[in-house]
């Protein structure tokens, strides 16, 4: 259980670091006010998809629209699974690790098998990824939950293709770590 939470924290950290770079680039161009103490909820969407799946394009388009509509509060991730590759079209973005990740979720959710397009929200619920009504309801639901953890990032450095940073956890995750 702690391992899954650490994995979710890592996903969120990557998103936060990505956003930190966007802010850093803006600082060079314009003056930004002092940061505030803000622990807004973050919604993580994980879409399991494939280029070989005929039902996936609407889910891919919906995820792209969500990314545009909720830039600061939703982290939208797309995982191309490899189990559709057998039908003749090789999805160049597919990885077996993504299907394994989806399988672990489906064991948790007591699903009999993987399916696409499947979206998992904050590691807690799932549904068909092309359902805009369910997607927006999930974003509203999980976006309204107060954040119980705070992650402070510092000493962010980029060296070639790697990002290095220090972080400090406060809240429930920090207490379970020790």
């Amino acid at each position: 259980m702690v391992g899954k939470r650490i994995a979710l924290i890592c996903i969120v950290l990557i998103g936060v670091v990505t956003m930190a770079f966007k802010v850093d680039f803006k600082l060079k161009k314009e003056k930004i006010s002092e940061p505030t103490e803000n622990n807004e909820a973050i919604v993580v969407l994980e879409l399991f998809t494939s280029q070989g799946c005929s039902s996936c394009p609407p889910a891919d388009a919906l995820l792209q629209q969500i990314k545009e509509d909720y830039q600061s509060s939703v982290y939208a991730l797309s995982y191309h699974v490899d189990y559709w590759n057998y039908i003749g079209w090789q999805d160049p973005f597919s990885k077996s690790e993504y299907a394994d990740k989806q399988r672990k979720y489906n064991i948790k959710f007591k699903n009999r098998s993987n399916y696409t397009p499947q979206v998992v929200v904050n590691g807690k619920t799932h549904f068909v990824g092309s359902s805009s009504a369910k997607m927006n309801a999930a974003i509203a639901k999980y976006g309204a939950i107060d954040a119980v953890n705070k992650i402070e990032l510092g000493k962010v450095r980029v060296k070639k293709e790697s990002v290095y940073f220090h972080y400090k956890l406060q809240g429930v995750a920090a207490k379970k770590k020790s």
Side-chain angles (χ1 to χ4, degrees), residues 7 58 114 125 143:
N114 289 348
T125 190

Side-chain angles (χ1 to χ4, degrees), residues 15-74:
V16 170
V17 168
T18 302
M19 294 200 53
F21 288 115
K22 289 179 184 174
V23 171
D24 185 47
F25 294 135
K26 287 181 184 174
L27 285 173
K28 293 176 184 174
K29 295 179 183 175
E30 59 186 72
K31 188 175 180 179
I32 304 281
S33 61
E34 289 295 314
T36 60
E37 194 67 26
N38 189 352
N39 284 347
E40 290 183 16
I42 295 172
V43 179
V44 178
L45 302 175
E46 297 173 274
L47 176 65
F48 295 92
T49 186
S50 175
Q51 289 183 352
C53 160
S54 63
S55 302
C56 289
D60 296 329
L62 176 59
L63 190 70
Q64 184 59 41
Q65 186 62 51
I66 294 294
K67 286 165 101 171
E68 292 170 14
D69 292 348
Y70 298 94
Q71 292 179 18
S72 64
S73 60
V74 173

